[in-house]
Amino acid sequence: VETERGMRQFRTYKSPVYGRNGDIIGTVGLGHDMTDFTNIDMELKILVENLPYPIALVDKRWQVLSANTRFRESFGFSEEELEGMDYLAWKDTLETVETKRTTENGSSYVTHDYLIKTNGEQRSYEVSEHPILDYFGNVNACYCLFRDVTMEREFVRQTIAFANADTLTGLANRRSFYHHLADLAGKPVCVLYFDLDNFKLVNDNYGHSTGDDVLVGIAHMLRDAFPEGFV
């Protein structure tokens, strides 16, 4: 509908009005302005509240319009504190871990990993911010979704560590060594290479468990001797 405020989108409801004898004596109509999120506040709150992630809705000036219970409880906010809060100012206080751009179905969006203290514990959250378009294609608001990826990121970190390190000593394995050499291509390199004399006797006389202890001890000695080196 063309109004004094420009083009607006309305959801309309109509219902007959019945007289005492059950005859239709008229019609009542209601037009609900659905253009702005401020006009569909209750429907938005119901939707946001039932999403399984902490989520905040912000306006075009990045002022918080609404946030669900998961957001408030996870990050320690009351409803009063969130009302009109500057979302970007709060986000600037968070520690950024990683930023990546994703393209999906022709649309490109940026996700960030932040460390956020949740119930006294530091956790990693992947944050994605998506514009919300109104009926006429204008950016009306933005939803900011927080996904707890603490376990996921730790699993990736451990997988990478296991793939590049000896499980007994924690020193770099052969695969990691070759990658390191590739990174040093064209640069001067000094390599120290040695073996352990009579190490077999340790295993034969004291057992492989003791032999493992010796290898771990040697690894510590090497790290101490070459703190800036690649061991």
Side-chain angles (χ1 to χ4, degrees), residues 4 19 35 37 50 86 129 135 147 161 173 182 187 199 220:
E4 293 180 354
T35 310
F37 288 112
N50 285 279
D86 188 328
E129 297 155 349
Y135 182 78
R147 188 169 70 90
N173 60 16
K187 300 177 182 178
F199 178 66
H220 286 306

Side-chain angles (χ1 to χ4, degrees), residues 141-158:
C142 181
Y143 73 86
C144 311
L145 187 145
F146 292 71
R147 188 169 70 90
D148 190 335
V149 292
T150 307
M151 293 182 63
E152 182 180 323
R153 297 296 185 260
E154 178 61 19
F155 176 76
V156 171
R157 187 194 65 79
Q158 290 184 0

Side-chain angles (χ1 to χ4, degrees), residues 9 19 61 106 117 173 211 217:
Q9 178 193 8
R61 297 178 295 114
K117 183 166 287 189
N173 60 16

Side-chain angles (χ1 to χ4, degrees), residues 49-64:
E49 187 62 34
N50 285 279
L51 291 173
Y53 303 104
I55 188 170
L57 288 171
V58 299
D59 61 19
K60 290 183 286 189
R61 297 178 295 114
W62 294 92
Q63 307 296 305
V64 175

Side-chain angles (χ1 to χ4, degrees), residues 1-85:
V1 179
E2 179 69 37
T3 70
E4 293 180 354
R5 299 169 59 193
M7 293 295 292
R8 310 292 293 177
Q9 178 193 8
F10 286 86
R11 175 177 292 169
T12 59
Y13 304 86
K14 291 191 297 182
S15 175
V17 179
Y18 295 92
R20 292 181 178 178
N21 297 325
D23 299 329
I24 296 177
I25 60 175
T27 304
V28 62
L30 173 68
H32 186 185
D33 188 343
M34 303 288 289
T35 310
D36 299 327
F37 288 112
T38 52
N39 296 327
I40 53 174
D41 184 57
M42 183 57 66
E43 294 181 14
L44 265 183
K45 283 185 176 179
I46 293 173
L47 171 64
V48 171
E49 187 62 34
N50 285 279
L51 291 173
Y53 303 104
I55 188 170
L57 288 171
V58 299
D59 61 19
K60 290 183 286 189
R61 297 178 295 114
W62 294 92
Q63 307 296 305
V64 175
L65 294 171
S66 180
N68 60 6
T69 301
R70 286 182 175 84
F71 187 96
R72 296 193 300 272
E73 292 181 349
S74 295
F75 309 136
F77 287 108
S78 65
E79 288 193 47
E80 293 74 19
E81 291 172 325
L82 282 174
E83 188 174 347
M85 184 184 80

Side-chain angles (χ1 to χ4, degrees), residues 122-143:
Q122 198 87 328
R123 302 190 68 81
S124 295
Y125 283 87
E126 180 185 80
V127 182
S128 54
E129 297 155 349
H130 298 262
I132 303 175
L133 305 181
D134 66 14
Y135 182 78
F136 305 102
N138 303 312
V139 176
N140 202 304
C142 181
Y143 73 86

